[in-house]
Amino acid sequence: MVKSWIKQLKIINMNSKINFDKIILDILNMEFENYDIKNLNWYENLYRVRIGTYRIIFKKINSEIKILFLWKRWDVYKWLRNYKE
């Protein structure tokens, strides 16, 4: 089963000039210094990366990072309303 954010990444890569593959690799390798990352106060261990109108939501537990969602700003925040850990 393919993770939903991977399907979204393929769609975004066709329609955008932003190199999301590099951004995803940086996040998974914990190289955050070049990105606008914010801890989401409502949720424990959830973070968002802002890239223009796109948002990447990921979960960080100890030294493990799991990407949860990647899409445009409005859709990501709608998705977060229904997110349950």
Side-chain angles (χ1 to χ4, degrees):
M1 184 170 138
V2 176
K3 297 177 183 169
S4 65
W5 69 267
I6 294 174
K7 291 179 184 178
Q8 296 159 348
L9 179 64
K10 290 178 183 179
I11 294 168
I12 290 172
N13 277 338
M14 287 189 296
N15 299 324
S16 175
K17 295 180 182 179
I18 300 170
N19 186 357
F20 280 98
D21 294 331
K22 180 187 179 323
I23 295 167
I24 296 291
L25 283 175
D26 286 347
I27 291 170
L28 293 174
N29 292 327
M30 294 189 194
E31 297 173 3
F32 303 132
E33 58 273 351
N34 297 328
Y35 303 105
D36 180 13
I37 293 184
K38 183 178 178 184
N39 183 1
L40 296 176
N41 294 330
W42 315 258
Y43 305 97
E44 189 175 334
N45 300 323
L46 280 188
Y47 298 84
R48 70 105 175 108
V49 179
R50 182 172 61 186
I51 300 128
T53 60
Y54 294 97
R55 302 294 184 269
I56 300 171
I57 304 295
F58 67 93
K59 187 175 198 171
K60 181 179 175 187
I61 299 175
N62 300 328
S63 62
E64 183 180 336
I65 291 184
K66 180 179 178 185
I67 302 217
L68 300 175
F69 201 72
L70 162 69
W71 207 248
K72 292 208 175 207
R73 182 181 71 87
W74 179 252
D75 294 326
V76 167
Y77 293 123
K78 281 194 319 189
W79 175 83
L80 271 173
R81 277 191 240 146
N82 299 323
Y83 177 72
K84 301 211 180 357
E85 292 190 57

